[in-house]
Amino acid sequence: MTTTNTSSISAGFAELSDPGAELGKLLSGAYPDARGRFGPFGGRFVPETLWGAVTRLEKVAKEALADPAFIDELTYQQRHWVGRPTPMMHAANLSARWGNGCQVWLKREDLAHTGAHKINNALGQALLAKRLGVQRIIAETGAGQHGVATAAACARLGFPCRVYMGAKDVERQQPNVQRMKWFGAEVVPVTSGDATLRSAIDEALRHWVGDPLGTHYLLGSAVGPHPFPWLVRTFQSVIGSESRVQMLEQAGRLPDAVFSCVGGGSNAIGMFHGFLGDAGVQIFGAEAGGQGVGAGLNAATMASGRPGVLHGCYSYLIQDGAGQVARTQSISAGLDYPGVGPEHSFLHAIGRVRYVPVLDADALSAVREVCLGEGVLPALEPSHAVAAARAWVQENPGKVVLINLCGRGDKDMPILMKNL
Ligand SMILES: *Cc1c(COP(=O)(O)O)cnc(C)c1O
């Protein structure tokens, strides 16, 4: 585990000198501010041609979220199509296995329709697309989960759908490529750049520029230009709000610590928002440590990055000495991204959330433990959160921990069969 010297980070940003006041601004809704910023992070670094689309999206989203008819429709679809609320499960065997008096709880987002949290955001934005009056939806995908969720939402709501996916990911996530096609989506392999998620987002943004008002770009994580980080978080916050109620009901108390994996950061920010205001709840984001931070290739953005601009926002970013976006690597396609959502950079800088890198090998052993202990096959991404929690309870006796099990592992079968 690494600890973050937050005072030195905050010192780099004059506006973050009072972390308590900054958190207050976030919780009161003053952030994101009018420029789409969380302190110094975020913003809207887009070409002129996209300005109309992103400002329209912000306006329509704010109207929709204040409209009871929209909320009713969203709630109806969440309940009957997605399967919400997802269960909160006490992991008794995992708790006993880890020992040290810990009690482990798993938020079962893997049981949401299409097998991960991605559907929460895909559904919300697809409903918004109806209000926007667009004719088609495009999306990017990494592990394929967002592509599948978007394709499913488009099938249900009647939109033509095209999904950009890195050629490398097309290869390592075949089952999801098939599922997207069965839901009627066109899957476009992207061979430029690193041929993973980052290039897929580049490509989707490029195509959006061609038809900004007739197409909705259904971005899959809490990244990108404002309003996306806020919008995606809003739709994913259902994870945290449900979890908070379920912990109080089932455990009779709030957790001591909450763990989520962080790729772009959507499942994590949705979970974290349920607990950011509870000073007694420690919050941890598990990043992809890959083969090691410092030594090998990784995708641990907070641990190895520094602030820069990627995909329309200012946030932590893994870059080389010349400021070029650097190559990343993780065993999980969903975490293999050099950037991170701006709200996470803010929470890192004010020290409210601690971000810890988790090695590929530790995530793999966590997959095994959850399988053997609980009869649940987790995706590789949340297995990073499981491994981070496992390490933390060894040093902190008698703790109640909540882990966001944000996806199921069926999509990872080919990789797991090679590595386990
Ligand atoms: C996409 C995905 C992730 C990474 O995305 P976030 O936006 O960081 O949540 C993590 N876990 C699963 C299961 C995913 O499908």
Side-chain angles (χ1 to χ4, degrees), residues 116-118 145 220-221 261-268 334-335 379 381-382 406-407:
H117 66 286
K118 293 291 190 339
Q145 288 301 105
S221 192
C261 65
V262 180
S266 70
N267 87 84
L335 302 184
E381 291 87 357
C406 62

Side-chain angles (χ1 to χ4, degrees), residues 151-350:
C154 287
R156 177 131 172 113
L157 299 179
F159 285 106
C161 174
R162 180 190 285 172
V163 179
Y164 297 94
M165 185 173 191
K168 199 164 134 192
D169 292 333
V170 169
E171 205 167 298
R172 55 182 172 177
Q173 304 286 344
Q174 265 303 314
N176 274 342
V177 174
Q178 264 316 315
R179 287 206 283 167
M180 284 184 254
K181 290 181 178 167
W182 285 332
F183 290 144
E186 178 194 353
V187 180
V188 181
V190 178
T191 51
S192 58
D194 62 356
T196 65
L197 179 58
R198 171 195 153 200
S199 308
I201 299 179
D202 285 339
E203 200 64 17
L205 282 169
R206 239 196 304 279
H207 280 77
W208 200 24
V209 168
D211 179 26
L213 296 179
T215 299
H216 177 57
Y217 174 20
L218 206 160
L219 188 46
S221 192
V223 300
H226 183 64
F228 283 110
W230 160 79
L231 184 61
V232 175
R233 176 249 280 178
T234 300
F235 289 130
Q236 293 294 2
S237 292
V238 68
I239 303 171
S241 52
E242 281 178 13
S243 293
R244 196 170 193 288
V245 171
Q246 289 169 318
M247 283 303 294
L248 290 172
E249 273 174 12
Q250 293 176 239
R253 50 163 293 178
L254 293 177
D256 294 302
V258 175
F259 293 82
S260 289
C261 65
V262 180
S266 70
N267 87 84
I269 204 70
M271 173 59 96
F272 294 172
H273 260 266
F275 302 95
L276 282 171
D278 298 300
V281 180
Q282 298 190 51
I283 305 180
F284 296 90
E287 297 193 300
Q291 295 160 7
V293 172
L297 282 169
N298 65 78
T301 308
M302 299 302 186
S304 12
R306 61 182 198 279
V309 172
L310 177 69
H311 296 143
C313 76
Y314 180 69
S315 193
Y316 273 77
L317 177 61
I318 300 180
Q319 28 190 321
D320 65 18
Q324 293 296 309
V325 178
R327 227 152 57 86
T328 56
Q329 189 173 301
S330 167
I331 193 162
S332 63
L335 302 184
D336 200 350
Y337 180 64
V340 67
E343 193 170 358
H344 285 291
S345 291
F346 171 80
L347 291 168
H348 171 60
I350 65 169

